[in-house]
Amino acid sequence: HWMMYHQMPIPPRSEHLWRYTPWPRIHPTKTDDVPSADDVIFSNDGPQVLNSIQPSQDSQGDIARAFLQAAGGSSSQMSLNDESEPIHINARASGHVAVGHLHLDVKGSAVVFLHISGEPEWVGLHITGNLHPNAHLAFGFINELDSNTKFLRCEDWQLDRDSSLEHATLSVGGFRCKSDLRTSLNGTGSSVRQSITVNADGSRHDDKHVEIHHHHGHTQSDLVMNSACGGNSHFIGTGLLTIAEGANKSDASQVFRNLLLSEKARAEAIPELEVLADDVSAAHGAASAPIDRNQLHYLMSRGLSPEEAQSVIVNGFLYDAFSNLTNKQLLEEMRTRLTVHLECELKR
């Protein structure tokens, strides 16, 4: 592993993935160094078993994945058949550098929430998932890491025919975060719905890169990314949708919306489409704007303070990112977590 990471060149900033958060900025130390990592501790309350496994050897030629392999850390797997109750997995990280690998093998229908917390200086997470034919997974990821933590997250999802993934992210923790989330639609009838909600303030830097690859026809994807940025925070959302040659009747859409709450906050939204098939539907859109003064004025005329009025607008805007989800348990839990976070912020 060590050799594999060391044989890789530092990726240039001309690469879409590393333009805004170059590899040296997310690496925990110096780029030629691979610190030995503490384990991220995974635990859950339900009857499902988390088994220790050997981490996957496939880095896909990506430097971040190769680094997480080389650093070691914990490695767990959970097999899911038809699960009636939502599963809550807690990932606790601590110490100087912590790394965890989690693999989900899904053969039926399941709802899983992964909640990462703790106060490490640096944490890396690699999540992989296989959805077998006709499997359905609703997956919620909640990042509530300490506000001084650097966080690297890689995900790789493989979907077989007629399987579906609903994937929601709520990102409110960490000081500098880099996510590289990839889904491959490997069989006809497979689909992914993905929503990402980011609330950034202070000097928080959050960079989300999402790739969805339609390798087969009659596949569907829907990506929504909403961020609200205050202080001098910086959010970057990049999306790469590819539709392979011959993958006709694929339907792909991506929408990015950013709400800028202060003069110094910045947001980038960069959707990218690579379509090699003829008969497809592919749509994308991106917009960044400050809060609508008329909305603010209206709420304040109803007796809300400026802070409360802004909070109501931000809440509604971030809530909306989850509106493309169809799984009720996923939708409700993500919105509840978001509401609790925003209420705590208002009290601070």
Side-chain angles (χ1 to χ4, degrees):
H1 298 328
W2 178 267
M3 281 312 291
M4 220 168 77
Y5 170 69
H6 276 291
Q7 286 161 346
M8 290 185 169
I10 302 293
R13 291 187 73 163
S14 57
E15 268 184 46
H16 195 70
L17 173 57
W18 298 107
R19 189 173 310 159
Y20 293 95
T21 313
W23 176 242
R25 278 193 73 194
I26 198 65
H27 189 287
T29 50
K30 299 258 192 309
T31 53
D32 55 359
D33 180 34
V34 178
S36 83
D38 291 332
D39 291 353
V40 169
I41 308 296
F42 295 107
S43 61
N44 68 308
D45 317 338
Q48 301 80 12
V49 182
L50 277 161
N51 294 311
S52 285
I53 53 162
Q54 286 296 314
S56 135
Q57 307 298 308
D58 177 22
S59 74
Q60 303 190 15
D62 170 61
I63 198 162
R65 287 163 176 78
F67 177 78
L68 291 176
Q69 279 172 22
S74 64
S75 208
S76 297
Q77 171 174 334
M78 188 180 274
S79 297
L80 303 166
N81 292 308
D82 279 315
E83 309 293 338
S84 53
E85 292 297 312
I87 296 156
H88 290 265
I89 301 175
N90 282 310
R92 277 294 293 178
S94 58
H96 174 51
V97 171
V99 172
H101 304 259
L102 176 67
H103 181 72
L104 298 177
D105 192 62
V106 189
K107 291 193 168 132
S109 289
V111 179
V112 175
F113 295 99
L114 179 64
H115 181 250
I116 186 161
S117 59
E119 302 178 2
E121 286 175 45
W122 191 95
V123 60
L125 209 49
H126 189 189
I127 299 166
T128 52
N130 278 352
L131 274 67
H132 294 265
N134 298 302
H136 303 285
L137 176 66
F139 180 77
F141 184 89
I142 297 119
N143 162 14
E144 288 188 311
L145 287 161
D146 183 75
S147 58
N148 296 313
T149 296
K150 267 192 186 183
F151 179 38
L152 171 66
R153 165 183 166 214
C154 298
E155 292 189 13
D156 296 287
W157 297 93
Q158 305 291 332
L159 274 62
D160 282 346
R161 65 178 167 74
D162 297 321
S163 67
S164 71
L165 172 64
E166 289 211 6
H167 188 300
T169 293
L170 174 60
S171 175
V172 296
F175 166 67
R176 182 174 298 152
C177 303
K178 170 78 189 178
S179 301
D180 176 7
L181 314 177
R182 304 183 188 186
T183 303
S184 293
L185 301 170
N186 298 330
T188 53
S190 59
S191 70
V192 58
R193 288 181 170 276
Q194 196 159 355
S195 69
I196 291 175
T197 288
V198 174
N199 193 25
D201 57 6
S203 48
R204 189 162 179 252
H205 174 101
D206 199 342
D207 181 338
K208 299 266 183 287
H209 176 78
V210 178
E211 294 186 12
I212 298 173
H213 300 289
H214 292 254
H215 295 299
H216 273 262
H218 296 276
T219 49
Q220 269 192 315
S221 72
D222 183 353
L223 169 63
V224 175
M225 230 188 275
N226 281 17
S227 85
C229 301
N232 55 354
S233 63
H234 189 188
F235 172 70
I236 302 103
T238 52
L240 174 62
L241 285 180
T242 68
I243 300 178
E245 210 172 327
N248 291 324
K249 304 285 183 216
S250 289
D251 185 342
S253 85
Q254 52 178 338
V255 178
F256 299 58
R257 302 186 198 96
N258 301 310
L259 193 58
L260 299 169
L261 307 176
S262 74
E263 296 287 313
K264 290 189 172 165
R266 288 183 300 154
E268 329 282 339
I270 303 116
E272 240 193 345
L273 287 170
E274 197 176 287
V275 180
L276 302 174
D278 303 327
D279 182 8
V280 300
S281 161
H284 64 89
S288 297
I291 275 192
D292 184 331
R293 291 279 153 217
N294 294 335
Q295 287 180 353
L296 213 52
H297 180 75
Y298 172 80
L299 290 167
M300 284 160 66
S301 71
R302 294 291 179 278
L304 294 184
S305 72
E307 292 75 27
E308 288 166 338
Q310 175 165 308
S311 171
V312 167
I313 293 169
V314 169
N315 202 339
F317 171 78
L318 292 177
Y319 246 59
D320 192 51
F322 296 130
S323 57
N324 71 332
L325 302 173
T326 60
N327 183 289
K328 277 210 172 70
Q329 289 168 311
L330 181 62
L331 182 65
E332 281 170 15
E333 176 76 10
M334 297 309 286
R335 285 189 164 167
T336 301
R337 293 288 181 124
L338 173 61
T339 304
V340 168
H341 161 72
L342 292 169
E343 280 172 0
C344 291
E345 274 220 321
L346 202 55
K347 286 180 189 139
R348 257 191 280 171

